[in-house]
Amino acid sequence: MNPDAGTRLLGSGEVARTLGVSQVTLRTWEQRYGIGAAGRAPNGRRRYTPEDVERLRRMRALQAQGTSARDAARLVLDRSAAEVTAGQRRHRLAEAAEALDLPTMGDLVDDALGSLGVATTWTEVVAPVLRAIGERWARLGDRAAMAAEWALATAVSTALDRYPAPARVGRAPMVFVCGPAERHELPVKALCAALNDDGAPAMFLGGLVSPDVLRVVADRFDPAGVVVWSMTSQSAVVRILRALHADGVPVRPAGPGWRGLPTVGEPLPPSFTAALAACSG
């Protein structure tokens, strides 16, 4: 085993805790299905590379979707989870959201991201489930639906934080920020991650970022655009948008909160796919 310099190898105990399985399970997967540690330490103990752990994480995620251990190992080793349809992923994710099962949701989203990429995971798996839960909440006022929406949004946001972004190239990045008091940052966070996934450099700053900080970021990185996301009119502050625009910050309003307001800058298209194309162009 010749890991890259600086790569930290993990022991069985740490990997077991990370994945939420026993060390016996790890040994069983390796002995029965050939999926496990890349090598051994001089004392014979298993040592796992980050790639080993990612394969095991995907195997666990596939099992959470109802795939047998043998088939899950085969799919992971073949580097393909194509046999799991988007519909199956949505169904299992919706079940886990209703159960407020954050670990399972994390595994399912991790697997979708690794198999499908960010854009497809968002448009075909996550967004439809969030939309269905939100519609139930709006129609029935069901507090359980509100809790499920919170749990799923939390799991997806955390999975996006784990998802590795390619190294930024020389292009000017797109910068994404939420309007003041914006509580629904997930769509624009997913858009930023999808851009990075496609090789277009992007930075997500989150919410509660002051105009002064945005000016410093714009001076430092000379971004291709600063996307200001607002889901509701309460977080769409035209005054801030205009002040940044007057200072030469290339602002681009995005989201339904700006609808009907006298904004400045070129708005992003309303659909996720069109906005992704507009930002990557």
Side-chain angles (χ1 to χ4, degrees), residues 48-190:
Y48 295 79
T49 67
E51 291 76 17
D52 294 333
V53 177
E54 182 58 30
R55 282 192 290 270
L56 291 166
R57 189 189 299 278
R58 287 193 59 205
M59 178 167 175
R60 189 176 184 280
L62 285 167
Q63 287 185 286
Q65 296 172 167
T67 306
S68 70
R70 184 177 301 279
D71 287 343
R74 177 177 56 80
L75 289 170
V76 171
L77 292 173
D78 287 346
R79 297 178 180 271
S80 170
E83 294 178 24
V84 181
T85 67
Q88 289 171 323
R89 293 178 188 276
R90 289 193 298 271
H91 177 73
R92 187 67 187 91
L93 193 60
E95 285 186 337
E98 295 297 339
L100 307 184
D101 186 348
L102 288 166
T104 295
M105 281 187 284
D107 286 341
L108 294 171
V109 177
D110 283 341
D111 180 65
L113 290 170
S115 303
L116 307 175
V118 177
T120 301
T121 294
W122 177 258
T123 57
E124 296 187 15
V125 180
V126 172
V129 177
L130 281 170
R131 189 161 48 246
I133 295 172
E135 288 171 353
R136 195 176 91 229
W137 159 247
R139 187 175 66 254
L140 303 175
D142 183 354
R143 285 183 294 182
M146 181 173 62
E149 184 180 37
W150 163 81
L152 180 53
T154 299
V156 173
S157 180
T158 304
L160 289 174
D161 289 336
R162 285 193 298 267
Y163 189 67
R168 293 192 176 96
V169 294
R171 293 174 51 187
M174 292 292 291
V175 172
F176 293 81
V177 66
C178 296
E182 180 56 62
R183 298 173 57 193
H184 300 85
E185 66 178 32
L186 190 57
V188 74
K189 186 173 185 178

Side-chain angles (χ1 to χ4, degrees), residues 146-236:
M146 181 173 62
E149 184 180 37
W150 163 81
L152 180 53
T154 299
V156 173
S157 180
T158 304
L160 289 174
D161 289 336
R162 285 193 298 267
Y163 189 67
R168 293 192 176 96
V169 294
R171 293 174 51 187
M174 292 292 291
V175 172
F176 293 81
V177 66
C178 296
E182 180 56 62
R183 298 173 57 193
H184 300 85
E185 66 178 32
L186 190 57
V188 74
K189 186 173 185 178
L191 178 58
C192 178
L195 273 174
N196 273 321
D197 202 29
D198 287 348
M203 302 169 58
F204 179 66
L205 303 185
L208 300 177
V209 179
S210 74
D212 287 338
V213 170
L214 277 176
R215 291 183 181 98
V216 172
V217 170
D219 287 342
R220 180 73 54 85
F221 295 99
D222 191 22
V226 175
V227 176
V228 184
W229 167 262
S230 291
M231 187 74 177
T232 65
S233 59
Q234 286 80 8
S235 65

